[in-house]
């Protein structure tokens, strides 16, 4: 454990439903190319408005994963 | 697009249900007097406690809209 | 309570006396046009110097008030 | 009201469901030993990932309560 | 001087040319409705990209002006 | 001196008079249960408004004290 | 639009001419390998001095682009 | 794991030797009264100077531990 | 006016009386060696505690002055 | 020099020994795939605790390197 | 290189033309009394408004230089 | 004690060995011209990389000292 090295990437996920769903969309997309994802942190929560309503949420996360040995 | 000017106002919405609902309440109220709302960003998420439980969420947003030509 | 929406504006008050007096001057001015003021938060405390002395304090606040139903 | 003193503690709540549920878990736990809880503020929203999915949300809050007279 | 009260508003100006031009566009627009503008501060400099090039700069400022006596 | 350990707690004091008085109220309350208080730092200055006037100041401090040997 | 995922990378561009030119150099370089670039934000503006003059500007940006479907 | 609640306290440790040693001193002291300590984060690194030299380092940490079930 | 250059120095003033008095003490000291002082900004407000009471306030300011032509 | 473009990545290194060693582990790992590394900056220093002691340090850095011509 | 010590001073330059020109004015002034200037970083970009237009830009920089051996 | 005024300067020290050594180098250099140094605070920890290794650490501190009576 004590000699692991992690890389952290920044992603923005979108969703018309909720903050949680926007994060899940970003992580689902990342899972296609990144193994060993370990944690995330929300750094920004925004949204796009259309016709006086929330069209979609845009949530930016930092995502940490273990670099392969 | 490239010559638009936007104004940004700060609002706090409340809800007993969720963070998303508090944001929607702030935007619904703003929609009564502001046209052309374009985006928002959450700047603070707080809540009021009563009898050891969350009574309501208070979410502060910055809200951007296009100034009329 | 749980369905209120608040607006937050930013003001700078001045005073040759004290930080508290500068805040009161900003709030006194705001009270002429804003009802239902609820809270403030100091975001910056500066001052103007003249002849090696403090000429006046300049205190910037965020001021929150209830939007009319 | 004007002579109250409040203490603020920092807690992290967890939930596999949502950000709101993680906050409620932290507050529910605190309610066992703290009376007169008044407000909270989210200071950090993270999550633990397992097998390419969100295993649980971890939300850190500041929690304010009135010190007994 | 020492009893003035200032209001601060937040604006985003756009320009395909430069950061300075985006600020000038925001101020030119504000000048149509605000007298006695005194200072501004840049709080954010962003840009929109199209076809691999900068389409326009988006500069957000805080703009301070004297409230009428 | 070089082997001391300090604990830091966060408190909000209130006062209808001044920022300094609000800090003193928080410290006076803390003195009832904490020995060896060493320093404080203001982290936030807010206030509650009532009828267009400042009803009371609310000042949040970090308060450091020596842990008993 | 509402189901897009964006990645954000951090780059520093240099230029002996201007802040804008340093940003354009970073984006021009990125365009060689990244499609669908959407926005940038300046996070830091520095410069290298030589012989008492500005030798070149160094501007760090966050650059957002759409992840391929 | 997903239903744990953690408390976070803030401590300052001192050492005439190193930053690491100051953190260890704070944690060693905390271990006397806190079980289940899980993580820490350095929030501030200062030092006291005497006779033109570093007399001791003062490192402030946030320390997280599991609240008993 | 538009070709002036200002230097900004950081000072901490002390006072057993008030925040304002601590700032004035710092500026009074600075006035002995600096001409053309123009403005200040409070960056930190701390205090030293002795016997459960505030012994003195320590206020750190940034102080701007015109560099001689 | 003045036309270089740099990329900045974020890494977390671990070590049971020291902060410096954790940074070196992150850089050693990065050196396997990145040429022309130029500078780093520590953005966060944390640690994992086990049995009341520091098990390993976790240091997050931003790492800058020259993009190939 | 590895045993150099640098001092960092804070300056505000002004210009009616541009941000870059305001930085150059500050550096040109500093060059009259400081040798071995190495780098700068912009910490604040403001401006003074007169008659609804930008009268001059005011850019604050941190300026680093090598202390003489 | 309560009427002292302190000045704070910003320095960057370098070392090929450790963070602590870089701070000591900055303080050793400052001791040649500054009496009555009282405290320091680390504001930034960077490093220069050469050939895939840390060539030297660069640590920026704020250094406080008593102004002569």
């Amino acid at each position: 454990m004590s000699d692991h090295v992690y890389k952290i990437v920044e992603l923005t996920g979108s969703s018309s439903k909720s903050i949680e769903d926007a994060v899940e969309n970003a992580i689902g997309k990342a899972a296609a190319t990144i193994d060993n994802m370990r944690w995330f942190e929300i750094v920004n929560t925004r949204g796009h408005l259309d016709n006086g309503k929330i069209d979609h949420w845009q949530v930016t996360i930092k995502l940490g994963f273990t670099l392969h040995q």
Side-chain angles (χ1 to χ4, degrees), chain A residues 5-64:
Chain A
V5 175
Y6 307 91
K7 186 170 181 184
I8 298 162
V9 293
E10 199 165 340
L11 299 171
T12 301
S14 306
S15 164
S16 57
K17 283 199 293 185
S18 69
I19 296 171
E20 285 86 347
D21 195 51
V23 175
E24 277 168 15
N25 286 346
I27 287 166
K29 183 84 180 179
T33 54
I34 302 177
D35 285 341
N36 298 313
M37 299 191 301
R38 297 291 300 274
W39 83 91
F40 66 89
E41 177 176 357
I42 292 182
V43 291
N44 200 274
T45 304
R46 294 165 171 265
H48 183 76
L49 299 165
D50 201 21
N51 259 323
K53 303 209 167 162
I54 299 176
D55 187 68
H56 57 274
W57 296 81
Q58 298 164 313
V59 185
T60 300
I61 58 170
K62 294 213 175 192
L63 172 64

